[in-house]
Amino acid sequence: MLPWVVRRTRLPLLSLRCVDCRSESATAGEGRFRVNANGKLLDVWLLVRCVSCDRTSKLTVHERAPVRCFDPAELDGYHANDPELVASRLLDPLLARRNRFTLDWKGAWRLDTPSAWLDEGWPVQLEVVFEDPVPVRPERLVAQGLGLSRNEVLRRIKCDIPLRRPTSAGFTFTVMAGEPARPAGC
Ligand SMILES: [Zn+2]
């Protein structure tokens, strides 16, 4: 059976306090780097913008790093604002820690579920894979994917990982049969 897939639909926002207006939300927009050469050392920043007042902040990606340490393709990516590179840097937990922000994934991802799973007999085993590191609560994800209430999820799902703790690592779960089906026509 095909796995369910969690993938991002756009770049997440950043929960990052603005020094001007105290808003706590910033966006990387389309994604723009700034590269500054200082002799043989490079600084690379990712630019983000406060969503309230538009103030631009610089997130440190590399600080005084020797030019020779850069893969030429990576360096080209920084100069060209390569969208893949923007995403990979923004989603890198190291960048978040160093620059003290968290990612706000609200509305920035979706769950793709292949259809027709209901034709199978019970119990059904399903797999969830993450194309992007979106932290989700398994109980919410499963409820959404199966169209069940959260209570029903807790009753009918067997899973090796805690259903209530957010994860962004793939997992499998088993759906047990629900209430006995009513005879047709009732
Ligand atoms: Zn602001």
Side-chain angles (χ1 to χ4, degrees):
M1 186 163 328
L2 288 173
W4 290 4
V5 182
V6 174
R7 51 169 60 99
R8 68 184 174 84
T9 51
R10 58 166 170 79
L11 294 175
L13 295 178
L14 298 83
S15 299
L16 178 70
R17 187 177 284 264
C18 175
V19 296
D20 276 354
C21 77
R22 317 303 284 170
S23 149
E24 289 187 34
S25 193
T27 172
E30 297 295 297
R32 206 149 53 86
F33 291 109
R34 181 173 298 166
V35 181
N36 184 42
N38 190 342
K40 289 184 169 146
L41 301 176
L42 281 189
D43 287 311
V44 179
W45 298 280
L46 178 63
L47 304 183
V48 297
R49 215 174 59 239
C50 170
V51 296
S52 300
C53 74
D54 265 357
R55 182 187 205 278
T56 300
S57 316
K58 298 188 296 184
L59 306 180
T60 303
V61 180
H62 293 285
E63 194 169 22
R64 300 180 61 77
V67 179
R68 61 183 158 72
C69 294
F70 287 86
D71 178 329
E74 183 190 358
L75 206 48
D76 285 348
Y78 288 132
H79 285 293
N81 302 314
D82 174 54
E84 291 289 316
L85 192 59
V86 168
S88 97
R89 291 301 172 266
L90 183 64
L91 305 190
D92 182 352
L94 210 62
L95 186 81
R97 257 204 309 280
R98 176 187 256 182
N99 294 279
R100 295 193 186 87
F101 66 85
T102 54
L103 293 172
D104 172 6
W105 280 101
K106 208 182 310 157
W109 63 280
R110 68 166 194 259
L111 172 67
D112 288 336
T113 57
S115 52
W117 67 276
L118 277 171
D119 295 344
E120 314 267 328
W122 305 103
V124 177
Q125 185 163 30
L126 288 164
E127 181 186 10
V128 181
V129 298
F130 288 73
E131 226 169 62
D132 296 282
V134 184
V136 292
R137 272 179 226 284
E139 63 167 3
R140 272 191 64 184
L141 195 76
V142 172
Q144 178 187 336
L146 297 178
L148 299 176
S149 71
R150 290 207 206 164
N151 275 342
E152 209 169 352
V153 166
L154 295 176
R155 211 151 29 83
R156 293 181 54 190
I157 302 302
K158 300 249 179 297
C159 187
D160 289 342
I161 61 166
L163 284 173
R164 289 187 158 138
R165 189 180 308 156
T167 183
S168 47
F171 63 92
T172 57
F173 62 94
T174 305
V175 193
M176 312 307 288
E179 304 298 319
R182 291 178 176 206
C186 294

